[in-house]
């Protein structure tokens, strides 16, 4: 009887456990991967960061900026090629079409972080928040050595 | 007279052939580089080194020079290029025959100390040099290196538009080839390993 009582109790408890379990997080609107920051040389107060963003929604998303608690300021830039020459242009926003991927990568679009709060070391994790029109998306970037 | 003329012509043809062959074997081979039609002289003008002392590109004569020009406040392209050079340099079998040189076109922000720390961050063997406006322009000209300063933004930061190429100077200090940074990783080292092996044998 004791065993049966225990089984009954367990069965009764099961729905309660299921209700108490946290709901799975909703699927991210933008999937952010391969986020990394190039370790800045000593004394440099600006550094480039890179990431791959995939728009998982059925509508365009507009990235308006990125922030990190480890930097005073951050901007989005694009290195534009004119033959072998390269110039930098500021990006106010980046629109990613539904299902499409946007890459911040060396020699192309990049995140420019300014005023690091401390000297960054390879392997260090840097929290980032990508600010989109209407929502934010968090990611973690890893610092890579030269 | 005809046979004599023929002999002369034949001798001349053979001589030219020998010269052409000699020129082709003397010419350094860089399978993964863009090669200049002929070696280009680079002026040995005074540049400031990271100790604040005056020197010139002439000091590296006898070695191959990998020359990159840019500015240390460059967040994306210059660090990527220097990182590329450092990786290629580490792959060299005879690194003593190659000198990595960074020339800053932005002496206003790039003090010798800052330049030294920046260049050594990528490789302890690399050196950083800079000079006044006129000197930089005179060195840039034969290399076909283009650069221009953007107007400062509201924070005072300004970017510099510039050519993104690694210039190769031969042991006589002449510009002979260019590599595109990041293009074909490992191949620049491979070219130089083949070149210095030939030289050693």
């Amino acid at each position: 009887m004791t065993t049966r009582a225990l089984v009954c109790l367990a069965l009764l408890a099961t729905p309660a456990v299921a209700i108490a379990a946290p709901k799975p997080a909703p699927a991210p609107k933008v999937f952010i991967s391969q986020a990394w920051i190039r370790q800045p040389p000593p004394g440099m107060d600006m550094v480039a960061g890179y990431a791959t963003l995939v728009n998982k929604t059925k509508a365009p998303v507009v990235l308006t900026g990125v922030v990190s608690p480890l930097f005073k300021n951050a901007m989005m830039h694009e290195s534009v090629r004119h033959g072998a020459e390269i110039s930098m242009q500021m990006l106010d926003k980046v629109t990613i079409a539904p299902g499409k991927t946007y890459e911040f990568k060396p020699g192309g679009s990049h995140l420019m972080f300014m005023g690091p709060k401390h000297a960054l070391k390879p392997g260090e994790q840097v929290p980032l928040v990508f600010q989109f029109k209407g929502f934010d998306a968090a990611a973690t970037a890893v610092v890579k050595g030269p | 007279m005809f046979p004599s003329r023929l002999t002369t012509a034949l001798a001349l043809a053979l001589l030219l052939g020998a010269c052409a062959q000699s020129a082709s074997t003397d010419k350094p081979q860089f399978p993964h580089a863009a090669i200049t039609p002929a070696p280009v002289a680079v002026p040995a003008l005074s540049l400031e080194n990271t100790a604040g002392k005056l020197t010139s590109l002439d000091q590296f004569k006898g070695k191959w020079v990998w020359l990159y020009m840019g500015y240390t406040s460059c967040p994306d392209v210059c660090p990527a290029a220097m990182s590329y050079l450092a990786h290629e340099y580490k792959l060299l079998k005879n690194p003593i025959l190659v000198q990595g040189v960074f020339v800053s076109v932005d002496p206003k922000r790039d003090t010798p100390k800052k330049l030294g720390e920046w260049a050594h961050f990528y490789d302890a063997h690399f050196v950083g040099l800079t000079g006044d406006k006129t000197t930089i322009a005179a060195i840039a000209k034969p290399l076909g290196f283009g650069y221009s300063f953007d107007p400062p933004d509201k924070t005072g930061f300004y970017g510099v538009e510039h050519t993104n190429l690694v210039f190769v100077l031969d042991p006589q200090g002449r510009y002979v080839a260019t590599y595109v940074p990041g293009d074909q990783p490992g191949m620049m080292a491979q070219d130089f390993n083949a070149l210095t092996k030939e030289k050693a044998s």
Side-chain angles (χ1 to χ4, degrees), chain A residues 44 48 50 79 84 86 107 112 146, chain B residues 72-73 75-76 83 146 157 161-162 164:
Chain A
M44 290 310 299
Y50 310 96
S79 295
I86 291 187
M112 192 160 101
Chain B
T72 72
S73 311
D76 177 41
S83 181
F157 173 82
E161 183 173 341
H162 65 89
N164 182 38

Side-chain angles (χ1 to χ4, degrees), chain B:
Chain B
M1 280 300 151
F2 179 67
S4 163
R5 201 178 285 175
L6 184 68
T7 313
T8 311
L10 196 65
L12 197 64
L14 282 170
L15 189 67
L16 282 172
C19 285
Q21 198 181 9
S22 160
S24 70
T25 49
D26 282 354
K27 200 172 179 182
Q29 298 299 304
F30 306 102
H32 302 92
I35 300 167
T36 60
V40 178
V42 180
L45 297 167
S46 285
L47 290 165
E48 199 173 11
N49 69 13
T50 50
K53 301 234 168 86
L54 286 181
T55 181
S56 84
L57 289 173
D58 250 15
Q59 68 166 307
F60 308 118
K61 274 192 176 172
K63 284 188 175 191
W64 291 93
V65 169
W66 292 356
L67 172 65
Y68 188 79
M69 297 177 77
Y71 63 115
T72 72
S73 311
C74 176
D76 177 41
V77 171
C78 303
M82 291 302 283
S83 181
Y84 162 77
L85 273 189
H87 281 109
E88 297 298 312
Y89 189 80
K90 280 181 186 68
L91 296 173
L92 289 179
K93 289 181 180 142
N94 294 302
I96 197 154
L97 299 175
V98 175
Q99 178 63 55
V101 179
F102 176 77
V103 171
S104 167
V105 300
D106 186 22
K108 198 173 160 189
R109 284 182 292 190
D110 291 341
T111 59
K113 184 176 178 283
K114 197 172 175 184
L115 198 51
E117 285 175 346
W118 198 82
H120 294 156
F121 175 73
Y122 295 99
D123 194 289
H125 301 92
F126 288 0
V127 298
L129 302 172
T130 192
D132 60 43
K133 257 186 184 175
T134 320
T135 306
I136 298 295
I139 290 172
K141 199 178 172 189
L143 299 172
F145 175 88
Y147 62 108
S148 62
F149 294 83
D150 294 337
D153 65 17
K154 57 191 173 194
T155 66
F157 173 82
Y158 57 90
V160 184
E161 183 173 341
H162 65 89
T163 302
N164 182 38
L165 289 174
V166 178
F167 299 96
V168 174
L169 309 189
D170 70 7
Q172 288 83 53
R174 304 169 305 175
Y175 158 44
V176 291
T178 54
Y179 284 86
V180 179
D183 206 18
Q184 310 177 84
M187 294 301 108
M188 188 174 175
Q190 186 179 298
D191 284 2
F192 276 81
N193 281 336
L195 189 74
T196 52
K197 190 181 165 191
E198 274 169 26
K199 199 185 172 187
S201 60

